[in-house]
Amino acid sequence: MMMLKMMNPMGSMPSVPKVGGGDDENKMSKEEQQEQEKLRQDAMKKAEKERRMKYQKQKEEREGESSKIRGKYGIQKKPDPEDEEEESEGEDDGFGPKKKEEEKDAITAAKEAAEAKLKDAQSMMSNLFKF
């Protein structure tokens, strides 16, 4: 008997779903499918909320332990990198020459833009007719 199974590879193969899709999906109405999807989404949101709460609690516990150690040894807390970015947005980094901020009126800016476009068009046309 074992020899026959070895000779016939399809004999021991598990059932394969049909190519056209299963009939199980078609048994539920569209409303039922939407309700199932809504329930699935709600479960995912709940699980994500629980996960966030778990990690927030762990973070608070670590921060408490760290503050005890900092207090014991007199170490100051380093500022969060996120807070530093918000504070330093308006500050210069101190490297390179300082840029002068010139405010151009609308007419001058429009004139310069038009001249730049004209130069681009002229250079494009001259490149087309080079021999």
Side-chain angles (χ1 to χ4, degrees), residues 13-92:
M13 190 170 167
S15 63
V16 178
K18 295 180 180 178
V19 176
D23 292 332
D24 297 336
E25 295 175 8
N26 295 334
K27 289 181 183 177
M28 293 194 317
S29 68
K30 190 166 195 141
E31 293 84 22
E32 290 174 341
Q33 288 176 348
Q34 289 175 346
E35 183 66 26
Q36 290 293 329
E37 180 65 21
K38 183 179 178 184
L39 291 173
R40 187 181 68 81
Q41 292 289 335
D42 290 341
M44 286 176 52
K45 287 178 183 178
K46 182 180 178 184
E48 178 67 18
K49 184 177 180 181
E50 291 174 358
R51 184 187 69 81
R52 288 182 189 268
M53 289 173 52
K54 173 186 168 187
Y55 287 116
Q56 181 66 31
K57 183 179 176 183
Q58 287 179 353
K59 183 178 179 181
E60 290 171 358
E61 290 173 358
R62 283 193 309 269
E63 185 60 35
E65 292 294 321
S66 297
S67 65
K68 287 179 186 177
I69 293 171
R70 283 193 301 270
K72 182 178 179 181
Y73 294 106
I75 302 171
Q76 291 183 356
K77 182 178 177 182
K78 294 181 181 178
D80 291 334
E82 297 167 355
D83 295 337
E84 282 183 16
E85 289 177 5
E86 292 173 3
E87 293 174 359
S88 65
E89 285 178 4
E91 299 175 7
D92 291 331

